[in-house]
Amino acid sequence: HHGVGYQGGEKMEDMILNLFIGIAAPLAMMIFICKGDTRRLLLFLLFGMTVCYAAGWLNEFTRLALGLEVEIASTGLGPMAEELTKALPVLVYAFLFKPKRRTLLECSAMVGVGFAILENAIYFLSGVNLLYALGRGFGSGMMHCVCTITVGYGVSFVHVRRKLFYTGTTALLSAAIIYHSVYNTLVQSSHQLVGFLLPVLTFIPVLVLLNKTEV
């Protein structure tokens, strides 16, 4: 199943919590050591992992409440819950601190990376082969990055034009949710390779955008 959701009982829940602590604790320690840009990026990496952990609970709670099958939830419910939770740190940072566009994009990317790190680690608990791990590792990482950077880039315009806030933010989140849903649908279909290649192809223009964005 693609996307976070904590099936497997209390033992699996304990394993996921231990995994989260094991990865997050050393990173949290580094926040007290690093300064400036490095500290900020580490903080947003942790935000990404934290919202990933929270999204897993939200996904499973909502799925059970609505009585949805896992496959249906992963292509419909999952992308909505995950993109909304990933967008929260980006939106709060943009509107409270009004950072420069380049800074906002880098922080947005780190939220996506943090989310992908924990999501992949949870998924790999069930055991996968090396080829699949590489495909999902890069595919999921790039997909989450593209989604959060898209939201961050759009918000960098929206937060200075308050009239666009509601419509603009809704449009950005909708685009991220649809893209995420398409990815999840492809990777659990017979077109899995296309699904893993989609983030690679969309990540290239994102890199071009980042390189052209002023510091």
Side-chain angles (χ1 to χ4, degrees), residues 32-164:
F32 297 98
I33 297 174
C34 300
K35 294 183 178 180
D37 293 342
T38 305
R39 176 184 286 176
R40 180 168 53 241
L41 292 175
L42 274 173
L43 190 60
F44 277 89
L45 185 70
L46 276 170
F47 284 155
M49 291 178 58
T50 304
V51 296
C52 177
Y53 186 75
W57 289 106
L58 180 61
N59 276 347
E60 189 63 5
F61 175 81
T62 311
R63 184 185 75 81
L64 293 174
L66 298 176
L68 298 176
E69 295 293 330
V70 173
E71 291 76 13
I72 296 173
S74 68
T75 56
L77 176 67
M80 291 178 63
E82 291 173 26
E83 294 309 324
L84 288 172
T85 52
K86 280 194 300 179
L88 282 175
V90 177
L91 291 170
V92 170
Y93 182 50
F95 283 89
L96 289 185
F97 297 96
K98 297 179 175 56
K100 293 181 179 179
R101 182 165 295 147
R102 172 78 189 194
T103 302
L104 180 59
L105 293 183
E106 289 179 351
C107 291
S108 300
M110 291 304 281
V111 172
V113 169
F115 196 103
I117 287 172
L118 187 61
E119 183 185 70
N120 282 334
I122 292 170
Y123 190 82
F124 294 164
L125 284 174
S126 60
V128 296
N129 62 50
L130 178 60
L131 189 61
Y132 186 85
L134 287 170
R136 181 176 171 83
F138 283 103
S140 175
M142 291 180 183
M143 180 273 291
H144 283 298
C145 265
V146 168
C147 289
T148 51
I149 289 175
T150 298
V151 173
Y153 187 72
V155 167
S156 70
F157 292 99
V158 170
H159 81 77
V160 294
R161 296 177 178 85
R162 292 305 172 95
K163 291 182 179 179
L164 296 176

Side-chain angles (χ1 to χ4, degrees), residues 179-197:
Y179 174 85
H180 191 155
S181 182
V182 169
Y183 169 82
N184 281 7
T185 301
L186 286 171
V187 295
Q188 65 184 28
S189 72
S190 57
H191 305 290
Q192 190 176 83
L193 181 60
V194 178
F196 287 144
L197 288 175

